[in-house]
Amino acid sequence: MNNGRFGIWLVGAWGGVATTVATGLAALQNGLSERVGLVSELPKYAQLDLADWKCFVLGGHEIRKTSYLAEARNLLDSSRVFSADLLAKAAPTLEAFDKNVRTGTLINVGSTIESFATPATLKTRGEPPRAALGRIAADLKEFRGTHNLDHVIVVNVASTEPPAEGDAAGLPWSELSRLLDQQDRSPVPASTLYAVAAMKSGCSYINFTPSVGSNLPALQELAAETGSLHMGRDGKTGETLLKSALAPMFAARNLQVKSWVGHNIFGNMDGKVLDDPVNKENKVRSKDRLLAEILGYKPQTLVTIEYIESMGDWKTAWDHIHFSGFLGTPMVMQFTWQGCDSLLAAPLVLDLVRFCEREHRRGKTGLMTHLCSFFKSPMGTDIHDFSRQVALLDAWAEEIAARP
Amino acid sequence: MNNGRFGIWLVGAWGGVATTVATGLAALQNGLSERVGLVSELPKYAQLDLADWKCFVLGGHEIRKTSYLAEARNLLDSSRVFSADLLAKAAPTLEAFDKNVRTGTLINVGSTIESFATPATLKTRGEPPRAALGRIAADLKEFRGTHNLDHVIVVNVASTEPPAEGDAAGLPWSELSRLLDQQDRSPVPASTLYAVAAMKSGCSYINFTPSVGSNLPALQELAAETGSLHMGRDGKTGETLLKSALAPMFAARNLQVKSWVGHNIFGNMDGKVLDDPVNKENKVRSKDRLLAEILGYKPQTLVTIEYIESMGDWKTAWDHIHFSGFLGTPMVMQFTWQGCDSLLAAPLVLDLVRFCEREHRRGKTGLMTHLCSFFKSPMGTDIHDFSRQVALLDAWAEEIAARP
Amino acid sequence: MNNGRFGIWLVGAWGGVATTVATGLAALQNGLSERVGLVSELPKYAQLDLADWKCFVLGGHEIRKTSYLAEARNLLDSSRVFSADLLAKAAPTLEAFDKNVRTGTLINVGSTIESFATPATLKTRGEPPRAALGRIAADLKEFRGTHNLDHVIVVNVASTEPPAEGDAAGLPWSELSRLLDQQDRSPVPASTLYAVAAMKSGCSYINFTPSVGSNLPALQELAAETGSLHMGRDGKTGETLLKSALAPMFAARNLQVKSWVGHNIFGNMDGKVLDDPVNKENKVRSKDRLLAEILGYKPQTLVTIEYIESMGDWKTAWDHIHFSGFLGTPMVMQFTWQGCDSLLAAPLVLDLVRFCEREHRRGKTGLMTHLCSFFKSPMGTDIHDFSRQVALLDAWAEEIAARP
Amino acid sequence: MNNGRFGIWLVGAWGGVATTVATGLAALQNGLSERVGLVSELPKYAQLDLADWKCFVLGGHEIRKTSYLAEARNLLDSSRVFSADLLAKAAPTLEAFDKNVRTGTLINVGSTIESFATPATLKTRGEPPRAALGRIAADLKEFRGTHNLDHVIVVNVASTEPPAEGDAAGLPWSELSRLLDQQDRSPVPASTLYAVAAMKSGCSYINFTPSVGSNLPALQELAAETGSLHMGRDGKTGETLLKSALAPMFAARNLQVKSWVGHNIFGNMDGKVLDDPVNKENKVRSKDRLLAEILGYKPQTLVTIEYIESMGDWKTAWDHIHFSGFLGTPMVMQFTWQGCDSLLAAPLVLDLVRFCEREHRRGKTGLMTHLCSFFKSPMGTDIHDFSRQVALLDAWAEEIAARP
């Protein structure tokens, strides 16, 4: 698939994950990188005729003012990722991507995120949701037009929002839609606004964060109405990925998990935002839920996420699993995971975009539950066991391969 | 299934695993234990009508002289497993099991294992394989007769043998059989002799150790001829279990494992035997093989097993997994596993016996590959991914449930 | 020293630490235990002529109703410490100790601790501090008289109190003393009341907890006036002990600690009390302070203490130390500490009592700063480097040995 | 001290440690680095008037052919240390250092090390020790002359030699000296030849490796005769450093270490050399000895060092310490140390050179035991407790400060 033109539109366009998506895409387009870490490059998906990396162009919304190269150099300095040589070679591509970044919205993002906004962004404060929607849609339209794109996939990689006020979850689309005209105390968070704009603009929408996004009955309605593809929430990159690979082993062996404690430390901007307890709320809930669903009972669990500045982008998790074996014998498994957050997340974003484009190409709409292995809180399914989730993706791939 | 009578015949009858099997069985028969750690007690296998724990009686072959209670108390003292109260209540049952233990053979067990033998056992030195076979068969026959058993399952839980001399793997049954009359330099290890005796006596045979056992073309032939069930090798209890649960996750995410180092320390008698390099050889090979098969490439690997006396039955593993993520970023996962070796192994032996009895009841013969999830080096299959192995067991269970 | 008679009076007499002190003392008196874990049994202190274990009798104050044997059996069941055999042999001694336990006070202990109190204890609610003081003093007098004791050492091993209201730290003894007649909103916590009663009764006082105890200028005055020995605070048993041994190494090598994160999980009653944030406050402060004092600068630190019920008395700490080496190279040290809380604390209590009796015997009064190695927040000194603290104890021992 | 001129002569001049010494010195001379990781930069040594970094020039012996910049770039690529920017700025200084590197000797270095030699170096094979000595001395003389140096300090940072044949340890200098004329089967290893040459040339000699170096009675004699300063052996950079900081804590608390297991993995050239069992022998012995000396008894110990290529210069150690507490309660401490080998070693080499120059300046000769904190197997002392070793350095510094 080498002759389509596709857009990746990142919400949180100059953040750590987005910067790594951009750098990685630039590297792939310029032949500067192996395919390690990219699920969609596994031989078993070769028959899917996925779009070539050269088919993609990147843009997005952002509330700060910086550039891909500046952010990538920050990551290099603080976290010893990338290489000076790679960045030098990727620079022209990254500078081209920079030109596609537009001003995002601050509606319901919370004061911590707002504190990072530039004056230009702050000027948009007070705009009614409907106006923000219009602005976003116009940006998407311009992006598609300028680059002559066949399809655009909007991916939310912005910092985690605080839980929204009010109960948008109980509303049908007709009512939620009406609330978009309300200037104050809108229950609709920014992530949902972007989802609405994407769907109304004929784009696909993927929510890589724990924010609400399209995870509302009203948005399901809208997706059906507009024929949009969407999926979420919260990219499964580290500790939770391990939980979803390990917990099924304890279950299959009837080893009783008595407690599962997980402590996470890291120092990137996401960490700073999560240091605000209201933003952290959404995240911890997302990391903790799957155990009971896999094990069939609820062990005592504890999950902390702490901002430790010196760690930079290196998220380190320590998990302590206390379990009972035969005759009640207490045993312990512990693991530590030292992963670079953005470098784990970015390839998954690229994979999701590619898989989504493929699904769009064959004319499908609605929730892409076969992508559940990528998410901590997958929409539309209760399956959290990683191997079962991967089996769903493989089945989807086989179905396509069988009927090309 | 409450009215059959089944025998469990343990080779290495008073060893750590066997003692724990005996203690666990006594506990289950006397209502002293929960079902934690027993795979066969999972709700999903409830429809299989597995034999009740009360249907089983236990005996075996051993080269040392001791008793279940003495060995269990050693474990309590050295490793803080069981409880004084449990042992007091289980004592009468354990003493009954003691009466069923008979003298094993020393043929090809190696000098380290031989050094543990009692004078009574040493008297058998020099007996030709054929004579040992006869003795073993007579013991099995007596066991079945005395206890009026419907079926007997022989399980090898003896310490790991050194690799045998000569090339038994290349021989058909007709030739191997002839070699059994040869007194010196027989290429047939003890574990295989027990397997031959079991099959010729109408018993099933399960090899829970890395020793050869029935893992020879000649024994496949014999199993077909005698209509025997068999399976092996090497119970998957700890570090390798984790490898088989974690490696598929690295594969599914295209994270490139650069090196996987595993160090194991423990202090039980198995550890002492494995301290002899010739015995260790078989074991390390068994722990190391699966990575290449799951990952599809061969990372640098290192597996050590070291005897540290103070650890008693507590096997502690430290694994260090060095992997590359996107753009070649090096990351690290480490885990430690602090499990009590006998308490992890014993319930699996009980599960295997129960599943094997069920398979025998429905008239099947040959290799039980659906039990591959229990073994480090499963016979008859290349599947090492733990979730795929469990799926095979579940499919077997569903097949039986569908046609009861 | 085999002919004195000395009393150990434990505040929190049936708690986990106290139960282990009692069990350990009973074991030592009955020849059931090695001397492992007892600092005072090191050969280098042999010349001090410390009191023999047989010289000690044990009693204390408590707000619950139970017995040493019942509590010790709980520890055996929940945490696999002690042995059934040891407890059987120690039972008569433990039952004799039980007879010396009296009802404690609830003044300013906080609602969490209060929730454990028996009806008999609850009846004392509302008694003015002065009345509680009288009751405590009478109990101490009775203990001394009944057992014909040469000296009594009061040791606080009760659960951590919440920080007291008001500012007792600013008051001279004359004013603090006056406040003891005030029934409501007294700023004097229970731990201080016990210290006052001890000093006024001619006893020594040791505070093994982070509660205030004698750590007030007013109490220093009182100690001088009454000629009392005292010391505190907060027994250094695990994670903080390691910090005080490791941080000097980083300092001596000019390795710059960028962050030091410590997570602690455990499940005993102390843990339950610390789960109440007001009680936890005192504790975390005590664990975190020493790093800046040893390193000479303040790295980012994080200390959590979480109640995980399944852990029982096993306190597990994970520490992650992120440091810079030469040319700013970031490196990491991590450790886990799996220690049994009561078994680490109890021998230190016994050591402190013995060292304190020795100091009393030679007629000294005031703060025993040479015991600083035993405390997380040692009174009267800024020395936190463990090796320097031990050097102070050794110097004291040499001084005594030089002038016997 | 800003007007002396001093030479650092590295044996193994282009190896990982030497390259990092050179890069670090270049960085310090050009103001490109903080002083983190340098012991001699601690405020407490400020009064020593140590030589300024600008006073030093660097050269050495080497058997391979490469350059500092090439080796430093290898380290950057394989191990993500240094930065491209730092190397660019340090390049001119490093190129100047390259000019001072001369061909080393292969006598008794073992076949693994020999396999790295260039043809030019291989040409020296067969030269008698006496000839090698002459060559080395001439190189040192030229270095001193060319750069007009006040003093030269020879530091052995070459890969570990295999234990030498024969018993040089039993020989007086008169006999050892005679053996230097013997062409074959000389018992004198290369490290000792360099030491002899250094002492005879008026240089100081420091052995940062486990090789023999000056650790022979004969060399003590020679040092006395020539008035040379010397010290060794084996830089204490990681796991052993931690042992020497932690073991005293176990001793001081009378916690009985039952076993101490340490596994080390790393992937630099030192690791490759240590993969040859004959070279590893010296190293493991050096890492394991101190425990018995600090604890006063010999717990079971195990130390492995394994070459895992992917680790590059990152040496990761896992230590498992199994210890008994009060009443025989078994507990566990584990640590992992993720340190960059060359970056830990290089600043110590620079410190040693500076401290040695200071000692030379005040006219001292013989063993510098006050530098024992820098070595795994310090010569001339049995003190291994790190805090006591540091106290010796501090006492030396105070002595100098008192009599400037």
Side-chain angles (χ1 to χ4, degrees), chain B residues 24 53 78 99-100 102 119 137-138 144 160 177 182 189 211 216 229 233 239 243 261 274 285 310 323 326 338 341 383:
Chain B
W53 299 114
S78 71
K99 300 210 174 78
N100 304 325
R102 298 293 174 270
R144 176 183 289 174
T160 304
S177 176
Q182 190 176 315
S211 300
L216 291 171
L229 286 168
R233 296 190 295 165
E239 192 204 28
K243 280 181 178 165
V261 171
L274 288 173
R285 215 182 299 151
S310 72
F323 64 98
F326 193 40
Q338 297 171 302
D341 210 34
I383 299 177

Side-chain angles (χ1 to χ4, degrees), chain C residues 191-207:
Chain C
S191 61
T192 303
L193 286 179
Y194 287 109
V196 168
M199 290 178 182
K200 294 216 149 194
S201 306
C203 303
S204 299
Y205 176 81
I206 290 167
N207 184 6

Side-chain angles (χ1 to χ4, degrees), chain A residues 37-38 236 253-254 332 373, chain B residues 37 236 253-254 336 338 373:
Chain A
L38 290 159
K236 186 155 78 170
R253 280 287 168 89
N254 204 6
V332 174
S373 65
Chain B
K236 185 156 79 171
R253 279 288 168 89
N254 204 5
T336 58
Q338 297 171 302
S373 66

Side-chain angles (χ1 to χ4, degrees), chain C residues 49-61:
Chain C
D49 188 29
L50 295 172
D52 191 275
W53 299 114
K54 301 211 173 170
C55 301
F56 292 96
V57 63
L58 186 144
H61 280 112

Side-chain angles (χ1 to χ4, degrees), chain C residues 217-276:
Chain C
L219 273 279
Q220 305 268 48
E221 268 185 74
L222 179 61
E225 198 176 280
T226 56
S228 305
L229 286 167
H230 66 127
M231 190 57 187
R233 295 190 296 166
D234 208 3
K236 185 156 77 172
T237 56
E239 192 204 27
T240 312
L241 175 64
L242 290 168
K243 280 182 178 166
S244 72
L246 285 169
M249 182 274 285
F250 288 99
R253 279 287 167 88
N254 205 4
L255 297 168
Q256 191 185 17
V257 176
K258 300 195 292 181
S259 59
W260 192 311
V261 171
H263 288 294
N264 296 270
I265 55 175
F266 69 133
N268 60 22
M269 204 167 69
D270 268 20
K272 225 181 239 163
V273 170
L274 288 173
D275 227 33
D276 181 337

Side-chain angles (χ1 to χ4, degrees), chain D residues 385-396:
Chain D
D385 174 332
F386 184 64
S387 64
R388 293 180 58 206
Q389 292 178 326
V390 170
L392 288 180
L393 182 61
D394 292 351
W396 171 80

Side-chain angles (χ1 to χ4, degrees), chain B residues 322-371:
Chain B
H322 194 199
F323 64 98
S324 271
F326 193 40
L327 302 178
T329 314
M331 310 188 189
V332 174
M333 178 184 180
Q334 299 175 64
F335 67 80
T336 58
W337 172 264
Q338 297 171 302
C340 192
D341 210 34
S342 301
L343 271 296
L344 285 165
L348 302 184
V349 169
L350 289 167
D351 289 327
L352 284 165
V353 164
R354 255 180 137 195
F355 286 131
C356 177
E357 185 282 322
R358 187 67 189 81
E359 189 71 345
H360 182 258
R361 207 193 308 162
R362 65 170 192 153
K364 297 285 180 177
T365 64
L367 265 180
M368 295 176 284
T369 50
H370 57 279
L371 299 179

Side-chain angles (χ1 to χ4, degrees), chain A residues 241-265:
Chain A
L241 175 64
L242 290 168
K243 280 182 178 165
S244 73
L246 285 169
M249 183 273 287
F250 288 99
R253 280 287 168 89
N254 204 6
L255 298 167
Q256 191 185 19
V257 176
K258 300 195 293 182
S259 60
W260 192 311
V261 171
H263 289 294
N264 296 270
I265 54 176

